[in-house]
């Protein structure tokens, strides 16, 4: 696979896992954003695959949901 295709695959997994974790916790995008200190549009863009979260956002999400960053990025199950 080319590098670009790998990035697309990782983002597909990330957005699915993020939404699943958020919904399982019973949170709206706005509530999650408030919990992690960002804006609702950021969460929306991540879940829709419109934006790539930066490293600090991934770390914050992983800590909040008590999962690894590798799990969020689809590098482990």
């Amino acid at each position: 696979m080319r590098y670009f295709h790998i990035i697309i695959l990782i983002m597909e997994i990330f957005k699915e896992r993020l939404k699943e974790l958020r919904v399982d916790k019973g949170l709206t995008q706005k509530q999650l954003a408030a919990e992690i200190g960002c804006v609702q549009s950021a969460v929306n863009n991540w879940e829709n695959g419109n934006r790539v979260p930066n490293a600090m956002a991934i770390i914050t999400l992983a800590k909040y949901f008590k999962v690894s960053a590798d799990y969020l990025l689809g590098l482990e199950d």
Side-chain angles (χ1 to χ4, degrees), residues 38-55:
C38 71
V39 294
Q40 183 270 329
S41 62
V43 176
N44 182 270
N45 282 323
W46 299 333
E47 286 188 4
N48 289 314
N50 298 327
R51 300 261 190 228
V52 176
N54 65 31

Side-chain angles (χ1 to χ4, degrees), residues 10-71:
I10 288 170
M11 286 312 302
E12 285 297 315
I13 293 168
F14 173 82
K15 71 181 194 176
E16 290 171 11
R17 289 190 174 176
L18 175 59
K19 185 172 184 176
E20 180 180 296
L21 289 166
R22 178 182 60 77
V23 170
D24 285 351
K25 202 162 176 99
L27 298 171
T28 65
Q29 289 180 349
K30 186 175 183 177
Q31 289 169 325
L32 175 58
E35 288 286 323
I36 65 168
C38 71
V39 294
Q40 183 270 329
S41 62
V43 176
N44 182 270
N45 282 323
W46 299 333
E47 286 188 4
N48 289 314
N50 298 327
R51 300 261 190 228
V52 176
N54 65 31
M56 286 308 300
I58 293 170
I59 291 166
T60 301
L61 288 164
K63 286 185 175 189
Y64 179 78
F65 287 114
K66 296 180 175 62
V67 298
S68 70
D70 282 352
Y71 173 79

